[in-house]
Amino acid sequence: MSALDRVLPKLLLVLSAFLLLWGVLGLLEYFLPVLSLGLQNRKFPDGLQFAHFFAIMLTGIVFVFGYLRKWPHTPYVTITMYAVLATLCFVEVMDFGAFGGGTTGVLTMLLEYATYVGLSIYLLRSTAMRDHFGHAMHTSKK
């Protein structure tokens, strides 16, 4: 087992738990503004704000519970959620100036995209992920 396979699955689990918590807190603040946790971006319209935190929460839920239950579809659903997050990021940067807008916003967005691509490749190609989620995720039913 490579060093990456010893560290990255646990790191992904911790990061996904963080996403789950962040999403839940963001939705709580969205529905109960009196909480005032500072998570809302006032530049975003309400619908985008909701979609943002719901997608973050759902991404966390998918990986945490999928990983713990060894659900063989977890890598694919997680990658789908990364695509959702990337789409939201594009809208937030291009239309609402997230991450400071302009060049800084675009560079930050591209770094986020590179992270999603790297993690997606890892989820699909890693021996550790294949072993954890079962070889069924890499075989087709005939």
Side-chain angles (χ1 to χ4, degrees), residues 92-103:
E92 292 166 359
V93 169
M94 295 302 177
D95 292 342
F96 301 101
F99 304 121
T103 303

Side-chain angles (χ1 to χ4, degrees), residues 28-48:
L28 277 174
E29 184 182 38
Y30 175 81
F31 287 112
L32 302 169
V34 70
L35 291 178
S36 191
L37 302 171
L39 298 174
Q40 305 298 310
N41 186 331
R42 301 295 169 217
K43 293 180 184 177
F44 297 174
D46 287 344
L48 180 60

Side-chain angles (χ1 to χ4, degrees), residues 45-58:
D46 287 344
L48 180 60
Q49 199 81 266
F50 174 80
H52 173 89
F53 286 108
F54 185 76
I56 289 170
M57 180 190 69
L58 192 55

Side-chain angles (χ1 to χ4, degrees), residues 3-72:
L4 194 60
D5 284 339
R6 282 192 295 275
V7 174
L8 201 49
K10 292 173 186 80
L11 181 61
L12 268 170
L13 190 58
V14 168
L15 289 173
S16 296
F18 171 77
L19 288 176
L20 172 56
L21 179 62
W22 181 26
V24 167
L25 290 175
L27 287 174
L28 277 174
E29 184 182 38
Y30 175 81
F31 287 112
L32 302 169
V34 70
L35 291 178
S36 191
L37 302 171
L39 298 174
Q40 305 298 310
N41 186 331
R42 301 295 169 217
K43 293 180 184 177
F44 297 174
D46 287 344
L48 180 60
Q49 199 81 266
F50 174 80
H52 173 89
F53 286 108
F54 185 76
I56 289 170
M57 180 190 69
L58 192 55
T59 303
I61 287 171
V62 165
F63 192 81
V64 168
F65 290 102
Y67 186 86
L68 295 176
R69 298 195 47 91
K70 296 185 178 185
W71 183 44

Side-chain angles (χ1 to χ4, degrees), residues 13 25 34 57 73 77-78 84-85 98 101 108 119 128:
L13 190 58
L25 290 175
V34 70
M57 180 190 69
H73 302 293
V77 180
T78 299
V84 169
L85 292 176
T108 304
L119 291 174

Side-chain angles (χ1 to χ4, degrees), residues 77-89 113 116 120:
V77 180
T78 299
I79 292 166
T80 301
M81 290 310 304
Y82 291 163
V84 169
L85 292 176
T87 302
L88 285 169
C89 181
Y113 284 10
Y116 293 147
S120 297

Side-chain angles (χ1 to χ4, degrees), residues 113-130:
Y113 284 10
T115 302
Y116 293 147
V117 169
L119 291 174
S120 297
I121 291 168
Y122 179 77
L123 285 169
L124 293 175
R125 310 273 299 182
S126 162
T127 301
M129 292 292 99
R130 205 171 309 131

